[in-house]
């Protein structure tokens, strides 16, 4: 598996959770898995061992010094170390701006991952995740097409979010030593630029995305981000496999981050979690008797922040409380801070990422909001079910696949009005405590562990190798 992130080593979102959890689940099906990620500056090498001293990547006359470390884990985790490229404050950029050399950074990463397969872990399948790894299938189809090392190897490219495409000027091809012939409509060309994501889509042997509904949605103009034609052309090899979650990390019975454990059989600890969450956010104790809404999200348009802004005042008028944690676009970070100022004692927000607080919001909230414009899979709604925190979601992508009548509330139209109606329905249902607890328990009984998803991936690997 080749990925720009993998928990617990490097994480900005759900991609890291998937790559951090799926390999272990695959081992129960007899699959031997290794993971390759960049060694960012935030990754401590103290407990890692250097397993390859000098694996330089050459792009014409330019050479990048690469070493490989192996991190301690249940399976091989290889860290691509190239300090000039990865030893930086951010993974992809800083202060809201992408690093201008990202095309080189992730091309070197892709070439180094191929080097790992050559000298450290001979593989049958390269499972590539998102645009940062899209050049692996491209290099294998061009530069290394006749290399006997990779003879018979197959590639699977997983799209976690089609909205992030890795777009660069056409000149990037020469800088990363790619055959200029890939610059064509059925290659990497994308409206006058090159797309690393499109490289993965066009050159991989098979494609997958992270929920069945999202696999259908991305073949439409509304959700295809200009790539729907390409995806329809490759529909026969496009698979929708729902993400799983790691219940060892996300369980209210054993969660070390929350103030009191609880379960579907004994919900008593959830009241303690709610009371302390209100206190942590500086909200009044009176909120213990009213619905507490929670959000843990990137603050971007994709996540529905815009339609939430439309109805914030009306929502508060329903006598509810809201706590939110996240970071993202400055305009949406400012929106949450402004809501907090306009509705003191009702809305409280924290800007940034705090894993422990994310767990406490899942445990302490009554209702979890995910009003996404689109959502490839989503994990927080699945965590919420397990924590007895009833989700209110837009019926899109994985949200539609995981939430059903009886475990949460869904709305279809992407509008503030539709979101408000769903919140009002949830608030009305909250008033009947016995019925509400039955809904909580139904959600807590759902099983979205990695077992089913890993089985689907393992079967897909075997079909690929049988070609």
């Amino acid at each position: 598996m080749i990925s720009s992130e993998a928990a617990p080593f490097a994480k900005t979102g759900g991609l890291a959770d998937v790559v951090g959890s799926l390999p272990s689940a695959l081992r129960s099906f007899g699959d031997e898995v290794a993971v390759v990620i960049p060694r960012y500056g935030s990754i401590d090498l103290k407990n890692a061992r250097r397993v390859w001293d000098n694996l330089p990547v050459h792009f014409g006359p330019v050479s990048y010094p690469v070493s490989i470390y192996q991190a301690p884990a249940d399976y091989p985790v290889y860290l691509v170390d190239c300090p000039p490229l990865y030893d930086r404050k951010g993974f992809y950029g800083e202060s809201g701006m992408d690093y201008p050399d990202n095309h080189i950074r992730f091309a070197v990463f892709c070439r180094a991952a191929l080097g790992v397969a050559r000298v450290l872990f001979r593989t049958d399948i390269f499972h590539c995740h998102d645009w940062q790894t899209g050049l692996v299938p491209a290099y294998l189809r061009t530069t290394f097409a006749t290399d006997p090392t990779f003879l018979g190897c197959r590639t699977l490219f997983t799209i976690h979010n089609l909205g992030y495409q890795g777009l660069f000027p056409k000149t990037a091809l020469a800088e990363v030593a790619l055959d200029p012939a890939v610059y064509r409509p059925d290659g990497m060309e994308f409206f006058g630029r090159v797309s690393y994501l499109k490289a993965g889509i066009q050159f991989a042997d098979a494609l997958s995305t992270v929920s069945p509904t999202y696999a259908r949605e991305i073949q439409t103009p509304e959700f295809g981000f200009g790539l729907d034609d390409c995806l329809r052309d490759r529909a026969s090899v496009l698979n929708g496999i729902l993400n799983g979650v790691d219940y060892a990390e996300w369980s209210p019975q054993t969660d070390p981050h929350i103030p009191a454990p609880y379960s579907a059989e004994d919900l008593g600890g959830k009241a303690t979690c709610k009371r302390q969450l209100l206190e942590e956010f500086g909200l009044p104790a009176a909120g213990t008797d009213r619905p507490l809404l929670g959000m843990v999200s990137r603050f971007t348009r994709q996540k529905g922040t815009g339609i939430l802004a439309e109805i914030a005042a009306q929502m508060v008028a329903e006598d509810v409380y809201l706590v939110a944690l996240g970071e993202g676009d400055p305009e949406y970070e400012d929106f949450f801070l402004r809501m907090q100022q306009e509705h003191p004692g009702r809305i409280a927000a924290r800007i940034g990422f705090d894993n422990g607080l994310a767990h406490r919001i899942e445990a302490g909230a009554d209702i979890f909001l995910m009003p996404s414009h689109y959502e490839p899979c989503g994990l927080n709604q699945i965590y919420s079910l397990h924590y007895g925190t009833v989700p209110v979601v837009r019926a899109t992508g994985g949200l539609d696949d995981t939430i059903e009548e009886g475990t949460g509330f869904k709305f279809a139209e992407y509008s503030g009005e539709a979101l408000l109606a769903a919140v009002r329905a949830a608030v009305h249902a909250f008033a009947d405590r016995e019925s509400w607890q039955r809904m909580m328990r139904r959600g807590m009984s759902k099983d979205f562990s990695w077992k089913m998803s890993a089985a689907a991936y393992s079967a897909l690997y075997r079909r690929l190798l049988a070609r």
Side-chain angles (χ1 to χ4, degrees):
M1 288 196 188
I2 306 171
S3 173
S4 60
E5 301 181 22
F9 304 100
K11 175 178 174 175
T12 64
L15 167 64
D17 290 327
V18 171
V19 182
S21 302
L22 179 55
S24 291
L26 284 166
R27 292 174 73 190
S28 64
F29 295 93
D31 296 313
E32 189 180 349
V33 184
V35 171
V36 186
I37 63 171
R39 202 288 290 184
Y40 300 109
S42 57
I43 299 178
D44 189 353
L45 292 175
K46 182 174 62 177
N47 295 317
R49 62 189 181 93
R50 194 174 173 117
V51 291
W52 199 261
D53 283 329
N54 186 23
L55 189 72
V57 172
H58 302 286
F59 290 153
V62 183
S63 182
Y64 297 90
V66 171
S67 299
I68 307 296
Y69 287 81
Q70 185 171 339
D74 293 338
Y75 45 86
V77 175
Y78 296 109
L79 308 174
V80 175
D81 188 43
C82 183
L85 296 181
Y86 310 124
D87 196 354
R88 303 180 184 181
K89 184 178 178 181
F91 295 172
Y92 313 116
E94 295 177 35
S95 305
M97 299 293 291
D98 289 343
Y99 292 128
D101 61 347
N102 273 349
H103 61 296
I104 293 171
R105 297 175 73 231
F106 290 104
V108 169
F109 171 58
C110 289
R111 287 283 294 268
L114 292 173
V116 168
R118 186 187 298 279
V119 299
L120 293 170
F121 188 94
R122 295 300 290 269
T123 188
D124 297 308
I125 291 175
F126 292 97
H127 186 166
C128 307
H129 295 266
D130 267 353
W131 72 262
Q132 295 89 348
T133 68
L135 293 194
V136 170
Y139 282 128
L140 287 171
R141 287 288 188 93
T142 56
T143 310
F144 300 105
T146 59
D147 191 321
T149 301
F150 305 115
L151 191 65
C153 290
R154 298 287 185 263
T155 51
L156 171 63
F157 184 69
T158 296
I159 302 163
H160 292 262
N161 190 329
L162 197 67
Y164 299 94
Q165 300 189 346
L167 297 175
F168 304 103
K170 180 184 176 182
T171 53
L173 294 176
E175 292 183 71
V176 300
L178 258 174
D179 186 338
V182 301
Y183 188 76
R184 58 182 195 268
D186 63 342
M188 291 178 62
E189 188 273 331
F190 188 74
F191 297 101
R193 293 192 283 178
V194 296
S195 166
Y196 281 23
L197 183 81
K198 192 178 178 187
I201 291 171
Q202 296 288 44
F203 295 120
D205 294 305
L207 308 175
S208 72
T209 191
V210 290
S211 70
T213 295
Y214 192 59
R216 295 189 295 272
E217 288 178 340
I218 60 177
Q219 297 178 58
T220 68
E222 182 180 0
F223 296 105
F225 288 91
L227 290 166
D228 48 295
D229 277 347
C230 303
L231 290 160
R232 285 194 299 273
D233 288 343
R234 304 221 66 203
S236 63
V237 296
L238 174 59
N239 305 267
I241 301 176
L242 190 71
N243 280 343
V245 298
D246 184 358
Y247 288 132
E249 181 182 355
W250 292 92
S251 172
Q253 293 175 270
T254 57
D255 193 332
H257 301 289
I258 67 176
Y262 61 94
S263 66
E265 291 71 35
D266 181 5
L267 292 168
K270 189 164 178 68
T272 302
C273 293
K274 180 177 181 179
R275 186 170 59 252
Q276 294 204 18
L277 184 64
L278 288 165
E279 185 178 317
E280 186 170 357
F281 273 91
L283 295 177
T288 54
D289 296 323
R290 294 300 301 160
L292 174 60
L293 281 60
M295 287 187 75
V296 178
S297 177
R298 289 196 307 276
F299 292 159
T300 64
R301 180 181 179 276
Q302 178 209 331
K303 297 297 184 179
T305 309
I307 60 172
L308 179 62
E310 295 174 18
I311 56 102
Q314 294 163 279
M315 192 173 71
V316 168
E318 297 294 320
D319 194 15
V320 302
Y321 297 80
L322 171 67
V323 295
L325 169 68
E327 58 189 356
D329 297 341
E331 64 177 299
Y332 293 121
E333 290 183 358
D334 291 344
F335 156 69
F336 276 98
L337 295 175
R338 190 169 64 251
M339 278 210 307
Q340 182 175 251
Q341 292 171 345
E342 293 174 355
H343 305 283
R346 286 284 177 175
I347 296 176
R350 297 277 177 84
I351 305 301
F353 178 75
D354 181 328
N355 185 53
L357 182 54
H359 283 248
R360 290 191 291 280
I361 290 174
E362 289 288 7
D366 299 300
I367 296 167
F368 198 89
L369 289 185
M370 291 186 74
S372 304
H373 179 239
Y374 70 93
E375 192 65 58
C377 177
L379 297 175
N380 279 100
Q381 84 280 12
I382 302 176
Y383 302 151
S384 298
L385 290 173
H386 205 55
Y387 280 70
T389 302
V390 176
V392 171
V393 304
R394 182 161 177 265
T396 183
L399 300 178
D400 202 16
D401 290 328
T402 52
I403 305 303
E404 58 194 25
E405 186 178 351
T407 62
F409 298 84
K410 293 194 282 192
F411 63 99
E413 180 184 289
Y414 185 68
S415 69
E417 184 179 347
L419 168 59
L420 182 61
V423 170
R424 283 173 170 160
V427 170
H428 178 75
F430 180 83
D432 184 340
R433 299 301 298 157
E434 286 189 12
S435 175
W436 186 261
Q437 288 195 357
R438 286 196 295 273
M439 180 176 282
M440 291 168 63
R441 290 190 170 99
R442 276 194 296 273
M444 295 175 83
S445 71
K446 295 293 180 180
D447 183 2
F448 290 102
S449 64
W450 271 110
K451 185 176 180 181
M452 292 290 289
S453 304
Y457 275 114
S458 189
L460 176 55
Y461 298 151
R462 282 158 176 73
R463 291 198 302 273
L464 269 175
L465 291 176
R467 284 186 178 181

